[in-house]
Every structure is written in structure tokens, then in C-alpha cells.
């Protein structure tokens, strides 16, 4: 007996669709060969050039010949071009593997005497078995080119010297430099002092902003939900406003209210006699940090208030009644019942909120744009957090490689926090989730 | 009767606190609102309590700037993002939840890891990529960036929701004679409505707020979105435009705030699910 | 009307060591009532699910009315099944739940109405026909699940 499975798999590996034709699935095989040919023509020729570009990032510099500029290689275009091809080739490769597997399994069926499907049945099984893949296809494409590709590119930049002033295409070439940029960040004084300074403030900011909002929200929820307070719904709907109004707009308004020169808050404090002279809320480094944290409570407390109110109203009445029977008073019920339930149900959210504040670009950038200026920092202001520093390095200072190194560090931090959080929560233990 | 006295005292303090908080919450809102109606140009001339009001800043917005155009641009982008991202996220989330196939585990892991990259990391590449395919400075390009970026988080969220719907419903439908598509549209999608509403609303609101990617992708002035337009009004060299900004801000904030409050329940539930399911 | 034959049916789940069902043979003739009894985990549900077409059959042949249906999708087997949790569509009324299968099989509107109303009468569900499953008692839900598939020729599996 001939080994149909092996022969057809081999043929398909040689060229897409050949094995299918060998298996007498002529129409299917021809369509597949057409696809294979199309890929070969459009793809294979340029592939080599793309890979050359990806590994060398170009070899010819731009030169000037008399009055004319002779264009050299554009390293960054080569890099992205190479990546597009790399990702496309992974997609092509998986299609090719599927083609070989298909040829093999049809061949296998022939060996035990099952007649291969005609085109009609093929289409039917394709629909039956292929449905989930069809559902995934749009997202896979979008993810591959709009998320994976850009982030991969971002990661790779960390290992190049792509930065102002000496390595900006098209004038100059960019080269792979390994871990040099990482070493610079930690070893070069101007970079490392900025990094440690900004990092320290980022962590402090994330902790302070998370906890102030958490406890403010908790406090408001307790007050509103007390026995004896009327119009509970009214209070809650008013207090939700700071969350509902587009943050982008309200932060910009706040920035103006706290302005040292003409901000009405200064005027108010002067009029009330609390201050004797104007306070420059956003121009003094320490005061600016305090101001941001305090203002952030305005934005952050409603979220927690809503969550806590939800939990509080859902705590079983019987739990409190049982405590009453046991002779507990209000002061005992709160720490023994309410608080543990609240903490239990909001802990994962607290951690995610920490991660969110760690990267809370809008709050910092729209409030102070990182200012006031800090002369001992390299390209960052006193209130800059890592993410706003990255933004400045990318769009204002063109320190692309360093921005990318710092991004990778943020990724490591956020990933560790999220994974730790994820493992604690139920989702991870559900058998189906990760298997 | 001391307990009654302390109870009353507690309530008095509580109400005092609540009223104070209402004042604090409304303070910036009132300034923005009064700023927009103030006949002067700047914040320093604005008075919180006055009857001297004017609509000249609103008129200015409509007559002298491209405000309406920006509004229309943003609405288009928001609707496009809402539709496209909902399609992406629901189809992927459903496939991940309901089918077992090769590579599923890796796909889920990838989606999880991708959520953790800082959003600016891919900025340069997105710019170059859109440039290469000719979508730079187009609204379609921006819609793609927004809806693509939301896939990892959204797909996980929707997958988690579908996981909670009993498998027997879909099996019953298959025995009833439904194919994949009927099961999906007639049985599963109606049951997943709460999470779909969350995804749709969330993605609709996003483009009204973002000025980073909008500024990256859109370069010509007539293609601007509201967020860039407003941002430029107030962060230029002079801050004299506060009142115009305030008028523009009020007109954006009112519909978005109403939308948020209408769908508040869905948004809270969605955020909770997002934190618990990764 | 249906006859079902199981011939050497075997089910091996991927990753399990021992098969869940081994060499199961059974003939069910038309109109016969069969009951599977056994401790939990012994393969009762798996067998039913294989007959319905919800699980692939690892080995052996399953025939309905003499035709091998191992590869036939559930909807073409003309079978009804009552699930342990009844699996009623929560978003549809009792009427729509019972009519869903008939609608999908492209029956006439008037015929669907007649059949569903008839089934509802037999099962004592007529007063609840417009309610959602949530508003029914456990027993009523079970009857809806029974009444949901009422084309002429089906066999009924009760999971």
C-alpha cells in the first residue's frame, strides 16, 4: 500500500496545493496553488531585501555630490519594512503549515479507504471547522499590524542608537548597539539621576493618588450610605459628575483655576484672608506635586464611591442582623463586617488602579506638562512621571532609543504587578482559562 | 438620651460635609460654565456671580473657527471606532470563549501581555506604518489605530462574559438546527448585550478625549478632532482664549456626560469585570 | 420515527488516560423508552451527547434509521434533547423557545403556530406562553424544554 499521507504532505511542503492535487482534490488544489503563486510573486523576491535591511539597517550614508544630495539608506524605513515582512511571513508560514497538515490528514484518510472530499464537502467542513478562525481573522490582522508590529518596533529601538542629534535618518544611518542604551540609562550620570528621580516620583505618585482616591471614595460612600441621610440618590448623582465629565476638559479647566497669575483659587484664598500673597501652585516643584495629588482626588473619588456604595448595599442584611444579635454596636460592625467585605471585593481593582495611575499621562501632562523645569534632569520636569517623560523624549527631544528603554522598564513593572494580581484572582484558577 | 444627641450631631456634620463636597464638585464646573458666558476674553476677568452674560464665545466658535467641522470629524471617528472595535472585539472574544482550537492558549496569553505595553511605545511605528499605506492624515487611519489598540483588553473582557453563558444554550440551539452564525447572532449576542453596550460606549467616548494619537495621525487643520482643537486653544503661548475654550468644552462635556450617566451601570460593571478577568 | 444503533461506540477525551465510554453496543427500536442508570461519571451523558452529535465519536459507528451519522452535524440528525439545566433561551418567550427549532427548519408560520400551541396545550403551558423562562417555576421550565422540539420524526434524549 502506498503511503499517501507522506507523499502528499511532502508535495504540499514543496509547493502549496500540490499534495491536494495528488489527493485528487483538484479544484481545492488549484486554488491553493494560485494563492501560493501569488505569495511567491508578490512576496518572496522582496523578502531577502527586507531581511537585509532588518539586520544591517542600511549601509550607505547620505552623501552630498556637489549641489545634489545623494540619498543613502533610510535605516528606520528599512527597520519597519523588515518587520512588516517578518510578521507577514509568519502569517504565510502558518498558512503553509496548515496546507501540509491538511494534505497529510487527507492522505491518511485515503490510506484507510475514505474517499477525499469533493469541493462541495470541503467548503462545508471549512465552514464547520473554520468558523472560529474566520471570527478571529480580523482581530488577528489588526493586532498583528496595529499592536504587535508597533510594539516590536518600539522594543527593537531600544537596541539601536536612533536618537538626536547624530543618528537621525535620512541624514545619518542608525545602527544596532546591543544593550548600550540600557547601560547609559543606569551608568551615565545625567540619565541615571533623571531616571531615579522620575521613577521615585512616579511610584510615590501612583501610591498617593491611588490611596487618597480610595479612602476619599470610601469616606464619601460611608457618609452617603449612613442611616438617616436622605436623598441618597441625589448625592450620589452629583458626586459622580467629576467622573462623567470628559477628563481631558476638566483637567485643562483645573490647570487654569490653579494658575498662579490669574487663577481664581489664589484670588479666593486671598479674599478669604487665608493667604497673604499669591501661591504659585504649579510653578514650585513641591507645591506642584502636592497640588496634583490633591486635585486628582476630585477626579478619582467618584469611581471608588460608586464601587463602594455598590458593595455596601449588596452586603447581606442578615450579616448585620446576626451581628446585632451577637450584641455588636455600630463601631464594631464597621471594621468587622463592612471593611473586610469591601477590601475583599475591591482589592483587585485597587491594584489595577495603581497600575493605571502609574501611567496616568493625562493628569500630569495636562495639568503641568511635567513642569516646572528641573535643570538637573535630562529632558524631564519636576512633576514628570515615566510615561510623560517618554512622551517628551519621543515627540520633543527625539531620544527614541532612550524612550524605548524606559518603555520596556515600564512594561516590566506593569507586567509584574498585573501577573501577580491576576494569579491571585479567581480567573486564573478557572480550569478552562489557561488550558 | 445621649445616643440620640450624638446621632443628630453626626447627621449635622454629615450634611455639612456633603454640602461642602457639592460646592467643591461644582466649583470648577461653574467656572468653566461662567467662563463660557463671560463677555471678556480671559479667566482673570471672569466673575463667578454675575448677570453680565453673553453668548459671544459660542458665536465665535461657530463663526470664526472650525468648531463644527471638528465636532463632525470627531463624531464620525467615534462612530467608526465604535462599530469597528465592537466587531473586532466581539468576534475575537466569542471565538476565544466558545471554541477550542490550536494556538488558543498562546493567543490568549499574547492578548494579555499586549495590554501591558505603555501606549506610546508603538507611536513612531504607527506613524511610519500609516504613512507607508497612505492612511496618514486620514480619519480611517485614526479609526484603525483606536479600534486596533482596544482589541487586547476588549477581547479578554468579552471572552470573560461569554464564558459565563452556559454552554448548553448553544448546544440546544445546534440541536434546534442552528448553524454557527445563527447561534452567534440569535442566541449569544442578545445574551451578551450588557458587555456589548459597555464596549460600544467605551469606544465611542474614547475619541472625544484623546489628543495624543489624534495629533500624531491628523496633520491638516481641517481634519482635526475636538480634543486637538480645544487643546490648541488653551496651551498656546497666551492663555487669553480660556473663555472660547470654555464654550467649546461645555458643548463637548454636556453630551458626553449625559451619555456616561445613562450608561453608568454598564460602565461600572464592565470596569469591574475588566479588573477581575485580567 | 427512528431507530438508533450503537455499534462498538468508544469515546476518548484528549488528555484523559482511560476512555470514558468503551465498546458500547445498543439497539433502540422505534417507540422504545430507554433509561441509562449509573453512578456519576460513568459516561451516561457522554453517550447521549454522542448520539445528539455534540461530541465526536472516537471509534465505532452510530446509525439512525440505518444511516451512519458519525459525521452528521446535530441539526441534521433530527433529534431532540432536554438538557440538565433545560437550556432555555433567556431572552425569548416560552412561545419563541418552543418555536425556535421549527423556525430554523423553515416551517410555515401558521404551521409553527399550530404546533407550538398544540404542544403548549398538552404540556399545560398555554397560560404562560408569553412569559420569559425566568418567570417560570422549575417544573414549568422542564415542560418547556420538552415541548421545544415537536417535529414528527424525532427521538428524544433526556440528559
Amino acid at each position: 500500500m502506498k503511503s499517501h499521507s507522506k507523499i502528499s504532505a511532502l508535495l504540499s511542503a514543496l509547493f502549496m496545493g500540490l499534495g491536494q492535487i495528488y489527493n485528487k482534490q483538484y479544484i481545492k488544489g488549484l486554488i491553493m496553488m494560485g494563492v501560493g503563486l501569488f505569495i511567491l510573486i508578490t512576496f518572496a523576491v522582496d523578502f531577502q531585501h527586507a531581511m537585509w535591511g532588518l539586520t544591517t539597517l542600511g549601509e550607505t550614508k547620505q552623501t552630498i555630490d556637489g549641489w545634489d544630495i545623494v540619498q543613502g539608506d533610510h535605516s528606520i524605513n528599512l527597520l519597519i519594512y523588515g518587520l512588516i515582512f517578518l510578521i507577514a511571513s509568519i502569517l504565510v508560514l502558518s498558512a503553509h503549515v496548515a496546507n501540509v497538515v491538511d494534505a497529510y490528514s487527507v492522505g491518511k484518510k485515503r490510506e484507510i479507504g475514505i474517499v477525499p472530499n469533493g469541493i462541495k464537502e470541503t467548503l462545508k467542513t471549512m465552514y464547520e471547522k473554520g468558523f472560529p478562525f474566520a471570527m478571529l481573522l480580523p482581530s488577528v490582522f489588526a493586532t498583528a499590524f496595529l499592536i504587535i508590529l508597533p510594539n516590536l518596533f518600539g522594543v527593537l529601538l531600544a537596541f539601536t542608537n536612533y536618537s538626536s542629534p547624530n543618528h537621525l535618518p535620512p541624514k545619518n544611518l542608525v545602527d544596532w548597539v546591543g544593550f548600550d542604551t540600557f547601560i547609559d540609562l543606569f551608568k551615565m550620570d545625567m540619565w541615571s539621576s533623571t531616571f531615579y528621580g522620575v521613577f521615585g516620583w512616579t511610584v510615590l505618585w501612583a501610591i498617593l493618588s491611588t490611596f487618597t482616591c480610595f479612602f476619599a471614595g470610601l469616606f464619601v460612600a460611608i457618609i452617603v450610605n449612613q442611616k438617616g441621610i436622605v436623598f441618597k440618590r441625589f448625592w450620589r448623582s452629583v458626586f459622580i459628575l467629576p467622573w462623567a465629565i470628559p477628563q481631558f476638559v476638566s483637567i485643562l479647566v483645573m490647570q487654569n483655576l490653579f494658575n498662579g497669575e490669574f487663577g481664581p483659587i489664589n484670588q479666593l484664598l486671598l479674599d478669604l484672608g487665608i493667604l497673604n500673597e499669591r501661591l504659585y501652585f504649579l510653578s514650585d516643584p513641591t507645591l506642584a506635586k502636592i497640588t496634583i495629588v490633591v486635585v486628582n482626588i476630585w477626579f478619582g473619588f467618584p469611581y471608588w464611591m460608586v464601587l463602594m456604595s455598590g458593595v455596601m448595599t449588596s452586603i447581606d442584611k442578615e450579616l448585620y442582623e446576626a451581628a446585632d444579635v451577637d450584641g455588636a454596636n455600630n463601631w464594631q460592625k464597621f471594621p468587622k463586617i463592612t471593611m473586610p467585605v469591601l477590601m475583599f471585593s475591591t482589592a483587585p481593582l485597587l491594584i489595577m488602579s495603581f497600575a493605571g495611575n502609574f501611567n496616568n499621562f493625562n493628569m500630569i501632562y495636562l495639568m503641568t506638562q511635567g513642569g516646572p523645569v528641573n535643570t538637573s534632569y535630562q529632558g524631564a520636569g519636576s512633576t514628570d512621571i515615566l510615561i510623560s517623560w517618554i512622551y517628551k523624549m519621543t515627540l520633543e527631544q527625539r531620544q527614541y532609543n532612550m524612550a524605548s528603554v524606559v518603555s520596556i522598564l515600564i512594561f516590566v513593572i506593569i507586567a509584574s504587578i498585573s501577573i501577580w494580581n491576576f494569579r491571585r484572582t479567581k480567573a486564573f484558577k478557572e480550569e478552562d482559562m489557561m488550558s | 438620651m445621649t445616643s440620640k444627641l450624638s446621632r443628630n450631631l453626626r447627621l449635622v456634620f454629615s450634611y455639612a460635609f456633603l454640602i461642602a463636597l457639592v460646592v467643591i464638585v461644582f466649583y470648577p464646573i461653574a467656572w468653566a460654565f461662567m467662563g463660557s458666558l463671560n463677555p471678556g476674553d480671559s479667566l482673570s476677568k471672569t466673575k463667578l456671580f454675575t448677570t453680565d452674560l453673553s453668548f459671544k464665545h459660542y458665536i465665535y466658535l461657530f463663526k470664526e473657527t472650525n468648531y463644527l467641522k471638528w465636532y463632525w470629524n470627531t463624531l464620525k471617528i467615534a462612530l467608526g471606532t465604535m462599530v469597528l472595535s465592537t466587531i473586532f472585539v466581539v468576534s475575537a472574544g466569542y471565538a476565544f470563549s466558545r471554541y477550542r482550537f490550536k494556538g488558543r492558549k498562546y493567543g490568549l496569553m499574547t492578548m494579555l501581555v499586549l495590554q501591558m505595553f505603555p501606549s506610546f511605545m508603538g507611536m513612531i511605528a504607527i506613524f511610519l506604518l500609516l504613512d507607508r499605506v497612505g492612511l496618514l492624515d486620514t480619519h480611517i487611519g485614526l479609526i484603525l489605530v483606536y479600534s486596533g489598540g482596544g482589541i487586547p483588553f476588549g477581547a479578554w473582557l468579552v471572552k470573560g462574559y461569554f464564558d459565563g453563558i452556559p454552554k448548553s444554550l448553544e448546544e440546544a440551539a445546534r440541536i434546534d438546527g442552528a448553524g454557527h452564525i445563527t447561534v452567534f447572532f440569535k442566541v449569544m449576542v442578545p445574551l451578551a448585550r450588557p458587555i456589548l453596550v459597555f464596549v460600544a460606549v467605551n469606544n465611542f467616548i474614547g475619541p472625544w478625549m484623546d489628543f495624543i494619537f489624534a495629533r500624531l495621525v491628523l496633520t491638516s487643520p481641517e481634519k482635526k478632532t475636538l480634543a486637538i482643537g480645544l487643546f490648541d486653544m488653551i496651551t498656546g503661548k497666551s492663555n487669553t482664549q480660556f473663555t472660547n475654550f470654555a464654550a467649546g468644552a461645555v458643548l463637548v462635556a454636556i453630551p458626553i456626560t449625559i451619555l456616561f450617566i445613562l450608561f453608568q451601570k454598564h460602565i461600572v460593571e464592565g470596569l469591574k469585570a475588566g479588573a477581575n478577568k485580567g | 420515527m427512528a431507530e438508533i444503533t450503537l455499534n462498538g461506540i468508544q469515546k476518548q477525551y484528549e488528555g484523559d488516560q482511560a476512555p470514558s465510554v468503551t465498546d458500547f453496543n445498543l439497539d433502540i427500536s422505534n417507540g422504545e423508552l430507554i433509561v441509562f442508570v449509573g453512578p456519576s461519571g460513568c459516561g451516561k451523558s457522554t453517550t447521549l451527547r454522542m448520539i445528539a452529535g455534540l461530541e465526536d465519536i472516537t471509534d465505532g459507528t452510530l446509525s439512525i434509521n440505518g444511516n451512519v451519522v458519525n459525521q452528521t452535524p446535530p441539526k441534521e440528525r433530527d433529534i431532540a434533547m432536554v438538557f440538565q439545566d433545560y437550556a432555555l433561551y433567556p431572552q425569548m418567550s416560552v412561545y419563541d423557545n418552543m418555536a425556535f427549532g421549527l423556525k430554523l427548519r423553515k416551517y410555515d408560520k401558521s404551521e409553527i403556530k399550530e404546533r407550538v400551541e398544540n404542544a403548549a396545550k398538552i404540556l399545560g403551558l398555554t397560560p404562560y406562553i408569553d412569559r420569559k423562562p425566568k418567570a417560570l417555576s422549575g417544573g414549568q421550565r422542564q415542560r418547556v424544554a420538552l415541548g421545544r422540539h415537536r417535529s414528527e420524526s424525532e427521538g428524544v434524549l433526556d440528559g
Side-chain angles (χ1 to χ4, degrees):
Chain A
M1 194 165 77
K2 277 199 276 184
S3 174
H4 293 304
S5 57
K6 279 183 191 148
I7 295 172
S8 51
L10 206 67
L11 281 168
S12 269
L14 212 60
F15 199 91
M16 218 182 222
L18 272 186
Q20 280 74 10
I21 291 182
Y22 171 83
N23 283 333
K24 296 180 182 153
Q25 298 181 303
Y26 298 113
I27 301 177
K28 180 173 156 194
L30 280 175
I31 293 172
M32 288 173 76
M33 281 187 80
V35 173
L37 209 63
F38 177 76
I39 291 171
L40 198 67
I41 292 167
T42 54
F43 197 75
V45 183
D46 289 332
F47 185 72
Q48 252 190 330
H49 177 246
M51 288 305 110
W52 164 82
L54 189 59
T55 44
T56 61
L57 294 183
E59 286 159 344
T60 343
K61 244 178 112 161
Q62 187 188 60
T63 49
I64 293 169
D65 178 23
W67 294 105
D68 297 323
I69 295 173
V70 180
Q71 289 300 343
D73 294 323
H74 191 296
S75 306
I76 293 307
N77 281 347
L78 285 174
L79 179 55
I80 194 130
Y81 187 60
L83 278 178
I84 293 173
F85 266 86
L86 201 66
I87 289 185
S89 63
I90 291 173
L91 295 176
V92 167
L93 203 67
S94 36
H96 195 76
V97 168
N99 139 63
V100 174
V101 170
D102 172 69
Y104 182 84
S105 62
V106 173
K108 198 93 194 161
K109 277 184 190 152
R110 280 178 74 195
E111 284 165 23
I112 55 171
I114 299 175
V115 181
N117 286 336
I119 186 70
K120 237 173 142 181
E121 285 102 10
T122 305
L123 287 176
K124 205 171 143 190
T125 38
M126 250 173 78
Y127 173 70
E128 280 298 318
K129 300 275 173 195
F131 187 73
F133 294 103
M135 294 282 274
L136 279 174
L137 210 59
S139 297
V140 167
F141 263 96
T143 314
F145 288 103
L146 291 167
I147 309 180
I148 296 181
L149 173 74
N151 280 310
L152 200 60
F153 179 88
V155 170
L156 288 179
L157 282 189
F159 302 94
T160 68
N161 55 9
Y162 183 27
S163 61
S164 163
N166 292 325
H167 299 282
L168 288 181
K171 231 177 147 194
N172 293 293
L173 290 175
V174 174
D175 287 309
W176 294 112
V177 294
F179 283 91
D180 285 4
T181 318
F182 287 84
I183 295 167
D184 282 353
L185 180 64
F186 291 107
K187 288 279 155 74
M188 270 173 77
D189 273 349
M190 67 172 196
W191 284 117
S192 67
S193 66
T194 313
F195 175 70
Y196 291 126
V198 173
F199 180 65
W201 161 237
T202 308
V203 173
L204 186 67
W205 151 256
I207 294 173
L208 285 178
S209 55
T210 308
F211 280 97
T212 49
C213 292
F214 179 83
F215 284 110
L218 175 64
F219 186 71
V220 176
I222 291 169
I223 300 282
V224 173
N225 290 302
Q226 276 180 103
K227 257 188 225 155
I229 296 285
V230 290
F231 306 130
K232 288 190 166 70
R233 269 184 72 97
F234 164 77
W235 299 113
R236 271 189 229 132
S237 347
V238 170
F239 297 151
I240 209 172
L241 281 176
W243 185 17
I245 295 170
Q247 236 197 26
F248 158 81
V249 164
S250 39
I251 299 177
L252 284 174
V253 171
M254 284 285 193
Q255 181 217 18
N256 278 271
L257 296 187
F258 279 91
N259 187 294
E261 303 285 342
F262 52 78
I265 296 207
N266 252 326
Q267 201 57 51
L268 181 74
L269 294 176
L270 285 173
D271 291 348
L272 291 176
I274 297 172
L275 289 181
N276 293 323
E277 53 181 286
R278 289 183 175 279
L279 260 185
Y280 288 85
F281 289 106
L282 301 174
S283 326
D284 173 74
T286 317
L287 195 56
K289 288 179 183 177
I290 296 171
T291 308
I292 295 179
V293 172
V294 172
V295 170
N296 184 61
I297 300 175
W298 190 87
F299 292 94
F301 88 87
Y303 170 66
W304 292 108
M305 178 203 70
V306 170
L307 279 179
M308 308 270 187
S309 299
V311 178
M312 281 179 187
T313 45
S314 70
I315 294 178
D316 209 335
K317 286 254 155 43
E318 286 180 18
L319 221 53
Y320 287 115
E321 282 163 8
D324 283 337
V325 173
D326 289 341
N329 63 33
N330 278 340
W331 294 110
Q332 289 166 324
K333 271 189 271 183
F334 184 73
K336 295 280 182 213
I337 300 172
T338 317
M339 236 2 234
V341 175
L342 279 178
M343 286 311 288
F344 179 75
S345 52
T346 53
L349 292 158
L350 197 61
I351 292 157
M352 288 327 284
S353 152
F354 176 85
N357 280 318
F358 198 91
N359 282 334
N360 194 341
F361 174 82
N362 275 2
M363 191 64 210
I364 302 289
Y365 191 79
L366 293 178
M367 201 65 195
T368 64
Q369 306 198 343
V373 179
N374 188 332
T375 44
S376 61
Y377 278 178
Q378 169 74 20
S382 302
T383 57
D384 262 318
I385 55 175
L386 290 174
I387 191 85
S388 61
W389 185 34
I390 290 175
Y391 180 79
K392 286 180 172 177
M393 281 197 281
T394 309
L395 290 185
E396 290 166 18
Q397 296 136 14
R398 298 168 167 249
Q399 298 295 321
Y400 302 111
N401 56 348
M402 195 53 86
S404 157
V405 168
V406 179
S407 299
I408 292 177
L409 295 177
I410 292 191
F411 168 75
V412 171
I413 295 163
I414 298 297
S416 325
I417 296 172
S418 319
I419 290 170
W420 175 72
N421 185 33
F422 196 67
R423 292 177 78 126
R424 310 171 38 254
T425 53
K426 185 170 116 265
F428 195 73
K429 285 164 198 146
E430 273 172 31
E431 42 162 354
D432 229 16
M433 193 64 76
M434 301 311 282
S435 62
Chain B
M1 282 286 109
T2 46
S3 79
K4 182 145 192 203
L5 185 72
S6 81
R7 190 184 118 92
N8 284 339
L9 213 58
R10 199 186 70 211
L11 283 181
V12 168
F13 277 115
S14 300
Y15 278 116
F17 172 81
L18 290 176
I19 288 163
L21 194 58
V22 169
V23 171
I24 292 174
V25 163
F26 274 113
Y27 186 74
I29 300 172
W31 273 106
F33 196 67
M34 291 312 287
S36 75
L37 292 171
N38 163 53
D41 281 334
S42 68
L43 182 58
S44 51
K45 291 190 195 113
T46 302
K47 292 194 187 68
L48 204 48
F49 302 101
T50 174
T51 49
D52 184 14
L53 301 173
S54 129
F55 281 101
K56 67 182 245 201
H57 304 298
Y58 291 94
I59 294 163
Y60 170 84
L61 280 182
F62 292 127
K63 289 239 166 104
E64 312 283 324
T65 71
N66 278 324
Y67 191 80
L68 276 179
K69 181 88 187 154
W70 300 338
Y71 218 105
W72 173 238
N73 287 344
T74 315
L75 188 67
K76 257 193 332 199
I77 294 169
L79 285 173
T81 307
M82 180 177 89
V83 172
L84 191 62
S85 68
T86 308
I87 293 174
F88 278 151
V89 159
V90 172
S91 57
Y94 181 70
F96 275 129
S97 167
R98 280 321 211 219
Y99 295 94
R100 297 293 173 267
F101 48 86
K102 282 208 182 79
R104 171 176 177 272
K105 194 176 153 188
Y106 295 106
L108 280 172
M109 282 299 241
T110 311
M111 293 286 186
L112 200 60
V113 170
L114 288 176
Q115 288 176 48
M116 297 161 192
F117 281 101
S119 55
F120 300 150
M121 191 147 190
M123 224 159 48
I124 307 164
I126 284 176
F127 182 85
L128 295 169
L129 191 72
L130 290 180
D131 193 23
R132 188 161 272 274
V133 293
L135 287 175
L136 204 60
D137 200 22
T138 64
H139 291 154
I140 295 182
L142 191 57
I143 291 174
L144 279 174
V145 170
Y146 286 145
S147 17
I151 292 177
F153 172 75
W156 261 92
L157 195 68
V158 173
K159 172 201 171 281
Y161 197 89
F162 276 127
D163 282 346
I165 298 174
K167 214 172 159 53
S168 57
L169 281 181
E170 150 198 2
E171 293 175 342
R174 279 171 60 199
I175 291 178
D176 270 350
H180 292 297
I181 294 194
T182 319
V183 170
F184 179 64
F185 283 110
K186 288 271 168 65
V187 179
M188 300 303 275
V189 168
L191 290 176
R193 236 187 66 194
I195 205 75
L196 297 192
V197 171
F198 172 74
V199 169
V201 171
N202 224 16
N203 281 297
F204 181 81
I205 293 184
W208 299 84
M209 316 279 180
D210 171 72
F211 63 100
I212 308 281
F213 284 97
R215 200 137 63 149
L216 183 79
V217 175
L218 306 174
T219 43
S220 44
E222 77 276 6
K223 291 195 173 145
K224 269 189 196 177
T225 64
L226 272 175
I228 323 177
L230 290 177
F231 185 74
D232 289 348
M233 266 186 193
I234 204 164
T235 50
K237 295 128 258 147
S238 59
N239 269 310
T240 50
Q241 290 232 56
F242 180 82
T243 44
N244 289 331
F245 162 80
V250 167
L251 291 183
V252 186
I254 289 174
I256 297 291
T257 308
I258 291 173
L259 198 68
F260 182 96
I261 290 175
L262 283 180
F263 291 106
Q264 183 205 334
K265 226 178 78 193
H266 286 110
I267 291 173
V268 175
E269 285 308 311
L271 285 174
K272 265 199 232 169
N276 286 324
K277 294 275 180 181
Chain C
M1 304 284 142
E3 285 169 11
I4 300 176
T5 310
L6 286 74
N7 194 357
I9 291 288
Q10 180 159 346
K11 177 69 194 180
Q12 170 79 53
Y13 283 105
E14 229 170 286
D16 277 7
Q17 299 212 318
S20 304
V21 177
T22 23
D23 194 20
F24 188 47
N25 295 289
L26 180 69
D27 278 310
I28 306 172
S29 47
N30 192 17
E32 195 174 1
L33 182 70
I34 294 280
V35 181
F36 293 164
V37 187
S40 72
C42 76
K44 307 179 296 282
S45 290
T46 307
T47 308
L48 290 182
R49 292 168 58 82
M50 281 191 286
I51 296 174
L54 298 172
E55 299 281 354
D56 288 334
I57 296 167
T58 316
D59 208 357
T61 51
L62 168 74
S63 6
I64 298 179
N65 292 335
N67 305 316
V68 176
V69 292
N70 281 30
Q71 301 293 332
T72 314
K75 62 174 172 180
E76 285 159 32
R77 295 190 186 189
D78 217 6
I79 262 184
M81 180 163 173
V82 178
F83 288 81
Q84 275 159 355
D85 61 357
Y86 311 139
L88 302 179
Y89 312 121
Q91 77 273 28
M92 300 182 200
S93 66
V94 167
Y95 180 91
D96 288 331
N97 261 287
M98 288 165 64
F100 191 61
L102 299 172
K103 276 183 196 158
L104 289 175
R105 297 203 163 94
K106 304 255 153 50
Y107 279 80
D108 241 28
K109 256 217 167 112
S110 55
E111 195 180 348
I112 295 176
K113 195 166 148 61
E114 194 192 313
R115 280 176 187 237
V116 170
E117 278 172 357
N118 193 24
K121 211 160 111 197
I122 297 169
L123 294 162
L125 289 169
T126 313
Y128 316 109
I129 200 101
D130 289 323
R131 285 204 197 166
K132 295 272 166 70
K134 220 166 55 184
L136 298 178
S137 73
Q140 287 162 345
R141 284 181 209 179
Q142 189 174 24
R143 277 179 276 152
V144 178
L146 268 169
R148 173 186 219 194
H149 323 271
R150 283 285 145 235
S151 73
E152 314 278 303
S153 55
E154 295 168 330
V156 176
L157 306 169
D158 196 337

